[in-house]
Amino acid sequence: MKFTRLSDHAAELAKTAAALPGPASLKINARSVEFPDGVCASFAIAGYPREVGAGWLEPLTGYPGHLDVSLHIEPVPPLVAAQRLRRQLARLESASTSGLAPDFATEAAADDAAELAASLARGHGRLFRVGLYLTIHAADSDELEAEVQHVKALAASLLLDAHPATFRAMQGWTTTLPFGADALRTRRTFDTSALAAAFPFASPDLRPRLAETPVLYGLNVYSSGVVLWDRFAHDNYNSVTIARSGAGKSYFTKLEVLRLLFHQVEVCVVDPEDEYRRLSGAVGGTILGLGAPGVCFNPFDLPDAVEGDDALDRRAMFLQTLVGTMLGEPLNAATKAVLDKAVIATYAAHGITSDRRTWKRPAPLLADLATMLEATDAPEASQLAARLAPYVSGSYRSLFSGPTTTRPDGHLIVFSLRDLPEETRPVGMLLALDAIWRRVSNPADRRRRLVVVDEAWTLMRENEGARFLYRLAKSARKHWTGLAVVTQDAADLLGSDLGKAVVANAGTQILLRQAPQAIDEIADAFNLTEGERLFLLSAGQGEGLVCGGAGDRAAFSAVSSTYEHSLATTDPAEWEADQP
């Protein structure tokens, strides 16, 4: 090593040395380097497993202590690689045939070399000289010894043979510094696939397909990598999120909704608890607070966009379903015939016929239908008019007393059901679901959409809500739409044929913290391992498991910015603190 004297003056030399980056002094021992505030020891990896999987180095890169991992890569020219492989293959084949007793290790190495040579000849990959080095830091020698034993045990569990840099401790330390200089030169030949698997930027558990709408779900719990997921890149766009109360399922869902809006995905939300109002207001969405004072929703409205020549007939059929829900029982054939005739006559009285040009005229109201029924001679008509009185002039009239106050349009549409009384909740829910289905199934307006049904157990208690979930779960993909079912009641979801159909048609499953009473059923339904069961029982708020197709799954922790958190949180204390 050559040294250059900077100056003959001791004071100037001291000033120059103080300006250089690095420790004030070093003590180099046989196997360690001591600093003024710590000590370190270095290791070179000399032995590797025969086969490795994606992200196999993540246990080292995610080690909780102070461990520097350095990977030095040098490409081998193809001509040199071919010559070396040829010589190595000849040497191994000669060694495997010369001995009296079979050497299985040599035979396996010869087979690997032959396979590698064939791959290289076809241009499927290249060879690289790779050096892997570890430097362990600690506060003192005793702590260093304990850390060394932990890291060596971890390396042994990965089938890595770690050799200490004896009498080369200084070179080992500098090799793991970000200088790009390999002073130890302990190399091993890797092919392209093995080298790609060594990079710590991929989760060993998740191999998602990403297209135009990737969403950050969070950070991998067991590594430093991110968990990205794109529901629209899979064959099925649906998802199901199951968690106990307070585990963060609504928080996570709001984050996904917010991030999908950046990708121009239109979102419709059925919100039983009015939790999406703040998010909708922040992004300029449309919120329909069904049941709130002054909010009206007219079921007679015809679509603004052309949905087909039979739009008027389909409105008439929906009104039969709506009246049956209002009455709490199915309509018989005679009542349906009278009601259908009255609906068509009510539209005609307001100048609306099968001619599309008339569909822009103001739609009639429920009170107009009641008036038409009262003017009809059939006994079924007068009975219907009398039973509809609570919705026309009685205590339930507010939702139907006037024209629609807010049209369900925009990039984010939220149907809030919190203000609906229990007696009218099935009716309001049916109106919301019908508006969503008309928008989703309109062939004249095809685009990526997501329908979020939060607290889905409340819908599954109602016949119309259950049928809507079933229909959307089965056919949403055909309309470029994903259905996101969010629920805390795993028993209701997994204990019914409808719930099983929703889960079976969900390409993405999100499992957050589970209650001990439900974990066995969850584990059986989603084929969880014992480790995954224990993780879901002890997961923190926002931590969970994302499961995709082909066995892809990863444990993640949802992350958000400060502003995203303010929009997604449902903590009443935080909401109160944000009030002016």
Side-chain angles (χ1 to χ4, degrees):
M1 183 178 293
K2 181 179 179 181
F3 294 90
T4 302
R5 183 176 292 277
L6 300 177
S7 174
D8 293 332
H9 301 287
E12 187 174 346
L13 283 174
K15 182 179 179 181
T16 303
L20 294 175
S25 62
L26 296 176
K27 182 180 178 181
I28 303 175
N29 302 318
R31 290 191 175 183
S32 64
V33 177
E34 297 184 19
F35 310 104
D37 56 350
V39 60
C40 73
S42 299
F43 290 81
I45 303 300
Y48 296 84
R50 184 167 181 258
E51 294 182 359
V52 295
W56 62 277
L57 276 183
E58 289 201 19
L60 289 175
T61 58
Y63 182 73
H66 188 173
L67 175 64
D68 294 335
V69 182
S70 178
L71 197 66
H72 291 261
I73 304 168
E74 178 186 348
V76 179
L79 181 59
V80 176
Q83 293 173 349
R84 289 181 180 176
L85 272 177
R86 194 179 300 113
R87 289 196 298 267
Q88 180 72 3
L89 185 59
R91 188 160 50 246
L92 290 172
E93 290 178 344
S94 176
S96 63
T97 56
S98 61
L100 298 178
D103 188 345
F104 298 108
T106 303
E107 292 179 1
D111 292 340
D112 291 344
E115 184 179 349
L116 188 59
S119 175
L120 191 67
R122 295 186 181 96
H124 293 169
R126 296 185 58 183
L127 294 187
F128 302 85
R129 297 287 293 170
V130 178
L132 178 59
Y133 310 100
L134 312 174
T135 295
I136 307 164
H137 295 263
D140 52 46
S141 298
D142 294 337
E143 183 182 341
L144 178 65
E145 181 63 25
E147 289 292 318
V148 165
Q149 296 303 321
H150 290 159
V151 173
K152 288 180 68 175
L154 178 59
S157 69
L158 299 174
L159 301 181
L160 297 175
D161 188 9
H163 288 192
T166 307
F167 297 113
R168 294 189 296 171
M170 180 69 175
Q171 289 87 340
W173 173 56
T174 57
T175 297
T176 56
L177 293 176
F179 296 156
D182 184 0
L184 294 180
R185 306 290 297 180
T186 303
R187 303 291 185 89
R188 179 71 175 267
T189 301
F190 278 40
D191 65 348
T192 302
S193 60
L195 179 60
F199 275 76
F201 307 120
S203 168
D205 305 314
L206 192 65
R207 299 177 298 277
R209 288 178 288 175
L210 302 179
E212 300 177 3
T213 56
V215 171
L216 172 65
Y217 272 17
L219 299 179
N220 194 303
V221 172
Y222 300 112
S223 71
S224 56
V226 298
V227 176
L228 294 173
W229 192 260
D230 187 353
R231 65 168 66 234
F232 290 99
H234 294 74
D235 297 333
N236 189 298
Y237 315 142
N238 300 343
S239 70
V240 57
T241 302
I242 305 176
R244 63 181 297 178
S245 178
K249 57 184 180 301
S250 295
Y251 185 95
F252 166 78
T253 304
K254 291 174 194 174
L255 290 181
E256 184 181 16
V257 166
L258 186 60
R259 290 161 184 172
L260 281 174
L261 290 174
F262 284 109
H263 292 297
Q264 309 300 317
V265 176
E266 183 181 292
V267 181
C268 298
V269 181
V270 179
D271 179 16
E273 301 298 333
D274 199 32
E275 295 181 344
Y276 290 76
R277 182 176 295 272
R278 179 179 295 198
L279 174 62
S280 177
V283 301
T286 302
I287 185 162
L288 289 87
L290 302 183
V295 176
C296 297
F297 199 88
N298 186 11
F300 285 82
D301 286 338
L302 290 170
D304 292 333
V306 176
E307 294 183 0
D309 295 334
D310 60 344
L312 182 60
D313 296 333
R314 286 190 281 118
R315 264 305 78 193
M317 289 185 285
F318 168 72
L319 286 168
Q320 295 179 23
T321 303
L322 178 65
V323 171
T325 304
M326 289 176 173
L327 303 183
E329 62 182 24
L331 303 179
N332 57 44
T335 305
K336 282 186 177 181
V338 170
L339 178 61
D340 181 68
K341 184 177 179 180
V343 168
I344 299 300
T346 302
Y347 274 114
H350 285 72
I352 300 175
T353 64
S354 58
D355 188 351
R356 290 186 190 175
R357 293 173 296 181
T358 64
W359 294 356
K360 296 296 182 180
R361 294 173 180 173
L365 302 177
L366 187 63
D368 300 317
L369 175 62
T371 302
M372 187 63 66
L373 288 171
E374 291 173 352
T376 305
D377 295 333
E380 293 86 359
S382 58
Q383 293 177 6
L384 270 180
R387 298 183 65 181
L388 288 176
Y391 295 92
V392 176
S393 57
S395 54
Y396 305 153
R397 68 183 182 280
S398 60
L399 189 59
F400 308 100
S401 60
T404 299
T405 52
T406 304
R407 301 286 293 185
D409 294 320
H411 54 281
L412 173 62
I413 308 171
V414 178
F415 293 89
S416 175
L417 310 180
R418 185 186 63 181
D419 295 321
L420 280 173
E422 285 297 323
E423 294 77 7
T424 60
R425 184 174 287 257
V427 177
M429 193 179 299
L430 179 61
L431 291 174
L433 300 180
D434 173 71
I436 292 174
W437 179 252
R438 289 165 59 188
R439 192 170 187 87
V440 164
S441 61
N442 183 7
D445 184 19
R446 285 280 186 260
R447 55 180 301 178
R448 288 189 183 93
R449 289 187 172 93
L450 177 67
V451 178
V452 178
V453 181
D454 206 342
E455 302 296 348
W457 60 273
T458 60
L459 263 72
M460 296 180 65
R461 296 183 304 178
E462 309 295 341
N463 291 333
E464 292 303 325
R467 282 199 289 267
F468 171 81
L469 283 181
Y470 184 81
R471 177 173 59 175
L472 197 57
K474 289 286 189 179
S475 60
R477 181 185 60 84
K478 301 176 183 178
H479 302 289
W480 209 5
T481 299
L483 170 65
V485 174
V486 184
T487 185
Q488 64 180 345
D489 201 332
D492 280 358
L493 189 64
L494 301 176
S496 65
D497 294 338
L498 166 66
K500 292 177 181 177
V502 171
V503 173
N505 287 278
T508 304
Q509 297 103 32
I510 308 294
L511 304 177
L512 303 180
R513 184 171 183 175
Q514 302 296 321
Q517 297 82 357
I519 190 62
D520 291 336
E521 193 172 7
I522 293 289
D524 293 340
F526 295 95
N527 195 25
L528 301 181
T529 64
E530 185 62 26
E532 291 167 344
R533 285 166 52 101
L534 295 176
F535 169 72
L536 292 179
L537 286 173
S538 60
Q541 193 172 37
E543 292 183 347
L545 195 68
V546 54
C547 308
D552 289 344
R553 56 185 60 190
F556 72 96
S557 176
V559 293
S560 62
S561 65
T562 303
Y563 186 62
E564 285 178 324
H565 176 78
S566 68
L567 299 179
T569 183
T570 56
D571 188 346
E574 295 187 26
W575 280 15
E576 185 67 25
D578 290 341
Q579 296 298 323

